[in-house]
Each structure stands twice: as structure tokens, then as C-alpha cells.
Amino acid sequence: GEDSRSFHVSIQAPLSIASVGETYSVTAVAGGQLILECPEDAVPPPHIEWHWEGSPLREDARRRVLAEGRFLQIRAVGAADGGEYSCRATNALGDISLRVQVEVHG
């Protein structure tokens, strides 16, 4: 006879974001759409929080957090949307932050 088994293996990996500690700079065009990504593939999946200018980001009709926090979408970008955005990813193995400086031109 034949016996087969399958296993699901989950490997815990610490959070890793390229260029940790650096601030990325992004230029957005007024009236357009901006999508910021918090790139992480940690296991277990982290809890992600977005901040703008040091305060927790409030979602509204134009600013939406997608894919459990991995993306921040801003529609109809205006001059007031400029500033420093940061995402913080936290899991059982630690936490890590990524900062993005957004400049709006238009």
C-alpha cells in the first residue's frame, strides 16, 4: 500500500524592510492618486499602523488603508496631504518602522 501525508510548515521570520532607518522621499501630483506601501513579509504577519506627521492616520473618503495595512491609498491628493507618513509593523518578534516624506506638486 501507499501512505502519504502533507505538512504545512510555517517559518517565523523577523521583520525586514530595505534601508531601515532611511526616510524615503515621494513626489505626488496634486489631484492624482498616491499609494504608499509598507513592504514586509514577516511571519507571523504583523499588525501594521500608519501615522501622518506623528499622529495615527485617520481614514476618510480619500485616505484608505488596504490589505490589512500593507498599502495606504490617498485619492485626489492635495497640498495638505504632504508631510511625513510612517508605517509601523509589529509582530511577536519585534517591530519596525518605515518613514516616507511626501511632497505634493501641482
Side-chain angles (χ1 to χ4, degrees), residues 83-105:
E84 187 182 88
Y85 290 80
S86 62
C87 67
R88 183 176 178 191
T90 308
N91 73 7
L93 302 177
D95 69 272
I96 204 157
S97 296
L98 176 70
R99 289 192 302 275
V100 181
Q101 187 70 35
V102 174
E103 287 183 34
V104 179
H105 291 270

Side-chain angles (χ1 to χ4, degrees), residues 10-72:
S10 175
I11 299 170
Q12 287 204 344
L15 298 153
S16 63
I17 291 178
S19 307
V20 171
E22 287 187 22
T23 299
Y24 290 85
S25 187
V26 173
T27 301
V29 178
Q33 173 178 275
L34 174 66
I35 294 182
L36 300 178
E37 181 181 2
C38 195
E40 62 65 39
D41 48 11
V43 178
H47 171 71
I48 298 175
E49 293 175 359
W50 283 91
H51 289 76
W52 178 65
E53 292 292 311
S55 299
L57 182 87
R58 288 202 174 91
E59 290 186 73
D60 56 31
R62 295 187 312 108
R63 300 192 214 193
R64 297 185 55 211
V65 175
L66 309 172
E68 272 127 39
R70 182 155 188 169
F71 298 100
L72 172 62

